[in-house]
Amino acid sequence: MTTQKLQSEDSRLNDRYSVLLPTYNERDNLPIIVWLLVKCFTESGYDYEIVIIDDGSPDGTLEVAKQLEKIYGSDKILLRPRPKKLGLGTAYVHGMQHATGNFIIIMDADLSHHPKFIPEFIRKREMGNYDIVSGTRYTGNGGVHGWDLKRKLISRSANFITQVLLRPGASDLTGSFRLYRKDILQKLVEKCVSKGYVFQMEMIVRARQLGFTIGEVPITFVDRVYGESKLGGNEVVSFLKGLLTLFTTV
């Protein structure tokens, strides 16, 4: 066995993956996604923790999270709630400040992102030594299930316009299922100024600007089963404003 291979295996043994789960009214989805995450990491053998950042959900999400902490242990479930809804970007910043892993995984808590893809993310990163691995709906066997034609057209159009204007070097700029080296994520967060859904888009654009490497893994995005989508008219307007801001400043 070569010295390089031994060093790679030793490094992998020391790796820890911190999953950031921002939540708002996800009491029905949270127990399922946490169970799937625990199952995924237990079977794959990777060290992990799940950081739950609840933004004052009125439906009792935090109480459910406290029960999950009792079930799985405070070493695996970290509760870092905030008093009110303060935005997706700041939720990731808040979670990262409390994360102990050297790699950060961001994903939705509404079951849109299946944890079964996480081992593929990790293998992709190890094979290419990437700074970021992003899930993509738009290459290979990636796709979307549960959306009507209107929402598919909106998503495709948004991604197409973004590709034309920003040339980000990634096929799915609006996705939110990613793996980052923690130190790289910290550098990106310092550069990013966007909030909400535009935050995800800016992260990839800034990564390209700073010369960080990005790998992609095809994923299947599934529309939420429980609860209501948080994507509304205000988010669409914010996306367009953010896109124009990035186009003119990056």
Side-chain angles (χ1 to χ4, degrees):
M1 187 176 292
T2 65
T3 302
Q4 185 177 6
K5 187 173 182 181
L6 284 170
Q7 290 175 340
S8 177
E9 290 183 358
D10 288 342
S11 176
R12 177 175 173 178
L13 290 174
N14 293 325
D15 289 338
R16 188 171 215 221
Y17 296 87
S18 298
V19 181
L20 305 188
L21 284 184
T23 60
Y24 187 78
N25 288 348
E26 299 289 0
R27 62 168 297 147
D28 293 325
N29 292 315
L30 189 60
I32 303 173
I33 192 65
V34 168
W35 182 83
L36 287 170
L37 281 165
V38 171
K39 181 175 184 290
C40 167
F41 280 108
T42 301
E43 291 179 350
S44 60
Y46 296 109
D47 189 20
Y48 73 97
E49 65 183 2
I50 302 168
V51 184
I52 300 173
I53 309 107
D54 186 65
D55 272 5
S57 298
D59 73 339
T61 297
L62 182 57
E63 284 66 35
V64 171
K66 289 177 180 178
Q67 292 300 313
L68 293 171
E69 182 186 36
K70 291 179 182 178
I71 294 170
Y72 297 109
S74 57
D75 61 323
K76 295 300 182 186
I77 307 295
L78 280 66
L79 306 185
R80 297 296 182 264
R82 304 191 296 177
K84 61 181 181 179
K85 200 171 183 181
L86 298 170
L88 186 63
T90 59
Y92 288 133
V93 173
H94 180 71
M96 184 174 60
Q97 290 171 346
H98 297 281
T100 64
N102 55 327
F103 291 97
I104 304 290
I105 294 170
I106 63 171
M107 62 189 300
D108 293 344
D110 62 4
L111 304 177
S112 296
H113 301 142
H114 200 295
K116 69 181 181 181
F117 294 108
I118 289 176
E120 294 184 43
F121 279 40
I122 296 173
R123 286 193 293 270
K124 183 75 173 184
R125 187 204 65 77
E126 291 175 340
M127 289 175 61
N129 196 29
Y130 291 107
D131 297 316
I132 304 164
V133 176
S134 181
T136 176
R137 297 161 290 181
Y138 302 125
T139 62
N141 59 353
V144 174
H145 290 288
W147 280 2
D148 58 21
L149 181 60
K150 178 182 177 181
R151 189 165 179 188
K152 285 182 179 179
L153 287 173
I154 291 174
S155 177
R156 283 281 186 178
S157 299
N159 201 61
F160 175 76
I161 294 170
T162 302
Q163 294 290 335
V164 171
L165 293 181
L166 302 179
R167 302 187 183 279
S171 63
D172 192 345
L173 204 61
T174 56
S176 55
F177 192 3
R178 296 174 187 161
L179 183 156
Y180 292 88
R181 294 180 189 271
K182 186 178 182 180
D183 58 329
I184 296 299
L185 181 57
Q186 289 171 327
K187 291 175 182 177
L188 289 172
V189 165
E190 290 172 2
K191 293 286 185 180
C192 288
V193 296
S194 304
K195 296 181 180 180
Y197 294 93
V198 181
F199 176 80
Q200 304 289 9
M201 183 168 63
E202 184 178 359
M203 291 288 277
I204 294 295
V205 174
R206 297 291 181 190
R208 181 212 63 188
Q209 183 186 48
L210 294 171
F212 299 140
T213 55
I214 304 171
E216 292 190 312
V217 170
I219 64 164
T220 302
F221 179 97
V222 180
D223 198 20
R224 63 166 55 241
V225 177
Y226 300 111
E228 296 181 358
S229 172
K230 315 230 177 16
L231 181 63
N234 290 336
E235 283 73 21
V236 173
V237 172
S238 295
F239 167 81
L240 293 173
K241 287 181 178 178
L243 177 60
L244 290 174
T245 299
L246 289 176
F247 177 66
T248 57
T249 60
V250 177

